[in-house]
Amino acid sequence: MFKAPQRNTTPSLAGRGLARLSTLRGRAAPFALGAGLLVMGCAPVPAQQADATLAGPVVATDAAHASYQRVLTAAQDLMETLSPAQRDALALDYSFANATRWHTYPDATLGSRRNRLGLQLEGLSEDQWGAVYALLDAALGSAPDEGADEVRQHLSIDDYLRRGGARSDYGRGEFKLAFLGEPSPTGLWELQFGGHHLAVANTYRDGLLIGATPSFRGMEPLTPVEYDGGNFAPQLQEHQAFVALLASLDDTQREQARLSRRGNLMMAGRNWDFPERSQGLAVAGLDREQRALLFAAMETFVGDADDVSAAAFMEKYRREIERTYIGFSGSPSLSATGDYVRIDGPSVWIEFYMDPPFSTEQPHPHALWRDKQADYGGTRP
């Protein structure tokens, strides 16, 4: 059986933010886990769909170009391991319709009109799996429990649920990978990777990341799972960061942050219909320590992007912090079905929701990071 690669232990964006949270709050850290490419079957991008702007904050620095070159090289290396039929399944047209073919459900439950596009990973050889992981390493963040490491853990827990008999349509073999458009030094394309409870959507243009969202993560159970020699809890740090943030609010702030609606408010759709008016507690009224907790919570999501891009997105969100709001419904402990919290800024939109038990006896998190300008790299229908 293919073994999950060893986890990365290099501190990065989110890890540093949570360490800072620990210092400020005087408590333990809130988590313990630590060259040209011929794309077969890829048609030109339709003109009406190719109007993505440089919506993201990543600027054309040497570091940003080097980061993209790693992605491009890994994409090329992966293609070289595939058969012609596998390449045909992987390489698809770039369009908004194709970019929005992501979901929170297992692929087998979606049907032919809603299911994910791309190459199904069942039956890949060990070398091909290694190339997939190398691509994720290049495209996603390097911190423990974030980015590529979080995805590895996610796949291992999906395997755990499948092997335990919870669901026959779970497991890493059910996930899909797609290149929408041609990975190249210039032009527009998206790296799409997803399956049950997971959506990675990195959009690139002319050698830069212009969108890392929608980025969806869910996990059941929330608590650690021991499986195949590892101990996995990839969403625990998000949960604990939000719990710490809400616990820092005084009674007046908590009432200001409380949302009128209770239930699943998650913007897990594919549209751009964000609320016209922000609700909840204005971050402008938070003190220094509370803002540090807020940034630590944000970094557990933004840190899923590659390190260079994550730093750029966080810089943008920090500039907009005075116009950002926190809202929640249900319990601030985020322990019961229906508990919900969100961060709503001029650009950033992050949600964390406790979904009902499904494969286990515990409520489990659904979490979503979107960007109101940079979703799908700015491409709209």
Side-chain angles (χ1 to χ4, degrees), residues 249 252-254 256-258 279-283 286 324-327:
L249 305 181
T252 299
Q253 290 173 322
R254 196 167 295 161
Q256 292 173 342
R258 190 173 293 277
Q279 295 179 308
L281 171 66
V283 175
L286 299 186
T324 299
Y325 291 76
I326 305 166

Side-chain angles (χ1 to χ4, degrees), residues 35 37 66-80 131 134-135 138 179 183-184 189:
L37 175 64
S67 182
Y68 176 73
Q69 185 58 49
R70 288 192 289 272
V71 176
L72 179 58
T73 298
Q76 294 171 338
D77 290 345
L78 171 62
M79 291 289 283
E80 290 178 0
L135 176 58
F179 294 166
S184 63
W189 70 285

Side-chain angles (χ1 to χ4, degrees), residues 152-170:
R152 287 193 181 93
Q153 294 187 57
H154 188 113
L155 297 177
S156 291
I157 292 181
D158 225 51
D159 285 344
Y160 162 83
L161 292 174
R162 180 185 180 110
R163 177 176 286 185
R167 294 289 180 268
S168 62
D169 52 0
Y170 287 8

